[in-house]
Amino acid sequence: CRSTSVASCVPVMWRAPMLPTVCALLVALASAAEIRLDGGASGWDEAAWKVQVDGVMGGRSTGDIRFQDGDMVFSGTISLVGGGFSSVRRSMAALDMSSFAGIIVELDIHPFSRGKAPLGLHLQLNDKSWWGFSAAFAVPFSEVAGESTKVFLPLAAFDRAGSSGRSCSSCTLDATGVSGLDVYVLFQEGPFEVRLRSITAVTDVPNFSVPRISLSDGGAITDMLAATIQSGASLYDEGYPELCIAIYSTSLRSVLESMGASDAVKGVVCAGLERSLQEASKSEQAWSLRDTMDAVLADLWGRSRGSHQAWLPSALAASAALGACAGALANGVGSSAGAGSLEGFEGPFTGMAISGFNDLASSNGLTPVACAERCRGEPACRSFEVGAREAVQGECWLSTATRDSAGSAYTTWKLYDYYELRGTSTTALMVVSSSTGRYGVGSAFLFLICLVVISRA
């Protein structure tokens, strides 16, 4: 087209008066901060969900699904005879989630019951491969029945690849083609009920408060922590460290935010939670949380702590440091399941990194949270990459570059995840260009046309 008018170069089917409508739609799509996967105000796609239990493996667990008052209610009984799981699952049209930060699960909170542990769950995303990829969280406690909460699961947390009892340590989720959702209860013997309100993919990392419960005496704390250790340790022994971490951290956060627990107890708990977020592996994270509970139990029972808890502060020192520790932890809490301090960063962009621009410090043995802290402490840092899989896990690379400045150097690195300081990208089409799998190249081109037309209006 040789015309100087951009609008006249648009095919006839897209000319005014349709163009403003198309532009408005594309702008809305490009700026969407979330995508409903199921539930919420639009209700559940009830026909799409089905139950699958361990009967396929000779187990005796049961499962049931019903839809009530806007909730999807998943209930049943877990038997450890011959199996140990119950699940609900659905398939859906493939969705490109590579530009999303993670998933928010809204669900009803379980009323606090003395001597019970939180229920741990797996949310699994399925792609076109043979594997499913799970992230773990736990249902927190509340004083009042019927309250709800939201849990944020970073996309990078969907790193447990499994299928039919098998696992794959080198497999990674293809976030460009998520085609199914599963919810699992695993190896937690006895009856259960979960009331889910919605499952939503989001582009921003949120902050959610932890529900408060009353722990007016040391016995209530020791009973809950003892039950938590029993549940979490059995899951760890079954090979589910992420479920163990979710249950441990959820109980400890309940203690930290509780009414009635002493500052000494809360201070030890806070120090343990803070340490766990800096650990490089799931095993180390689980043991940091276990050591924290063991130390609290020893203090409350008037016993000497074990040698494994020597890194924790004394009750007196922990009490004095509580304010600073709790403030730092609260600023970084992304969910009641224990996501870390990634506030102010976009990401993770799974399997992506910048080649040749790692011009600042590099470190080993760090979590994304710890790497983010290193970036915040370096004035020139604009982004960082973390080794998230296989032999590079725990690597931290700081950079002065962004996706904009790096251009084509921002590319696929399957073993790494990329994070960028929010607000450092200036490319107007970044959302569309990174999501053409959802909206298509044609939509991105039309969005560009919209920008030109609007700027000339």
Side-chain angles (χ1 to χ4, degrees):
C1 178
R2 297 182 180 180
S3 170
T4 57
S5 169
V6 173
S8 66
C9 296
V10 181
V12 173
M13 62 178 292
W14 294 114
R15 290 181 188 172
M18 292 181 65
L19 187 58
T21 302
V22 173
C23 288
L25 176 61
L26 290 172
V27 170
L29 286 172
S31 60
E34 61 183 45
I35 287 184
R36 167 191 167 272
L37 300 180
D38 214 337
S42 300
W44 292 88
D45 188 356
E46 298 181 11
W49 289 90
K50 63 180 181 180
V51 175
Q52 183 166 319
V53 297
D54 55 15
V56 297
M57 303 165 55
R60 301 179 183 177
S61 299
T62 64
D64 180 68
I65 187 173
R66 69 183 190 275
F67 298 89
Q68 180 180 20
D69 300 328
D71 291 352
M72 180 173 74
V73 185
F74 171 36
S75 60
T77 301
I78 299 298
S79 171
L80 302 184
V81 178
F85 79 86
S86 183
S87 68
V88 287
R89 54 190 62 193
R90 65 155 297 172
S91 59
M92 59 188 187
L95 173 68
D96 184 353
M97 288 182 54
S98 59
S99 64
F100 287 87
I103 290 178
I104 291 175
V105 180
E106 184 177 9
L107 72 165
D108 283 9
I109 307 171
H110 286 166
F112 174 66
S113 179
R114 187 163 175 161
K116 291 192 67 175
L119 178 68
L121 300 168
H122 263 179
L123 177 65
Q124 179 173 293
L125 301 181
N126 302 312
D127 59 17
K128 61 184 178 182
S129 74
W130 190 65
W131 304 98
F133 299 86
S134 300
F137 65 102
V139 185
F141 290 125
S142 173
E143 287 287 294
V144 183
E147 285 190 287
S148 67
T149 191
K150 294 180 180 180
V151 175
F152 173 70
L153 300 172
L155 200 60
F158 291 86
D159 60 355
R160 181 189 176 90
S163 180
S164 302
R166 302 177 183 176
S167 60
C168 177
S169 60
S170 62
C171 298
T172 58
L173 172 69
D174 178 5
T176 65
V178 175
S179 57
L181 296 170
D182 303 349
V183 180
Y184 278 86
V185 178
L186 292 144
F187 296 102
Q188 296 160 87
E189 190 172 17
F192 69 88
E193 181 177 279
V194 183
R195 303 182 69 97
L196 298 167
R197 296 194 177 191
S198 64
I199 305 173
T200 307
V202 296
T203 56
D204 295 323
V205 177
N207 283 324
F208 296 130
S209 60
V210 178
R212 301 191 73 187
I213 59 175
S214 177
L215 297 173
S216 56
D217 62 84
I221 298 173
T222 57
D223 288 351
M224 182 174 70
L225 294 186
T228 297
I229 290 173
Q230 182 178 8
S231 178
S234 66
L235 288 165
Y236 186 94
D237 292 342
E238 289 284 351
Y240 293 92
E242 55 284 302
L243 271 173
C244 173
I245 292 166
I247 290 171
Y248 282 179
S249 61
T250 297
S251 281
L252 287 171
R253 289 182 185 277
S254 291
V255 174
L256 181 61
E257 297 298 327
S258 69
M259 300 168 284
S262 69
D263 285 354
V265 167
K266 290 184 176 184
V268 174
V269 166
C270 187
L273 287 168
E274 191 172 35
R275 167 72 172 265
S276 74
L277 295 176
Q278 300 170 9
E279 301 289 11
S281 71
K282 293 178 182 179
S283 176
E284 291 170 330
Q285 190 174 4
W287 275 109
S288 290
L289 296 170
R290 170 63 185 271
D291 286 341
T292 302
M293 289 187 287
D294 285 342
V296 171
L297 290 173
D299 291 350
L300 290 174
W301 286 334
R303 301 174 183 172
S304 298
R305 296 182 186 178
S307 59
H308 292 296
Q309 293 93 53
W311 57 270
L312 283 158
S314 67
L316 183 62
S319 179
L322 173 61
C325 178
L329 200 62
N331 287 334
V333 171
S335 76
S336 56
S341 179
L342 293 169
E343 186 177 6
F345 288 92
E346 294 182 72
F349 297 92
T350 305
M352 300 296 292
I354 295 177
S355 300
F357 284 84
N358 303 115
D359 44 358
L360 297 175
S362 63
S363 307
N364 290 310
L366 299 182
T367 63
V369 171
C371 195
E373 290 301 318
R374 297 285 178 94
C375 186
R376 289 190 185 99
E378 171 55 62
C381 183
R382 295 293 177 269
S383 65
F384 67 90
E385 298 138 16
V386 289
R389 289 162 283 279
E390 298 183 35
V392 303
Q393 186 168 345
E395 290 184 10
C396 169
W397 296 84
L398 307 186
S399 177
T400 60
T402 66
R403 290 167 292 173
D404 289 344
S405 65
S408 61
Y410 175 68
T411 186
T412 301
W413 283 82
K414 291 185 178 181
L415 301 184
Y416 292 83
D417 293 340
Y418 175 83
Y419 297 79
E420 184 173 287
L421 278 171
R422 188 168 287 118
T424 54
S425 265
T426 57
T427 304
L429 291 180
M430 183 58 67
V431 173
V432 173
S433 63
S434 66
S435 307
T436 52
R438 276 185 288 154
Y439 308 128
V441 175
S443 296
F445 175 71
L446 285 171
F447 186 69
L448 175 60
I449 291 173
C450 291
L451 291 180
V452 175
V453 171
I454 291 169
S455 67
R456 292 190 176 193

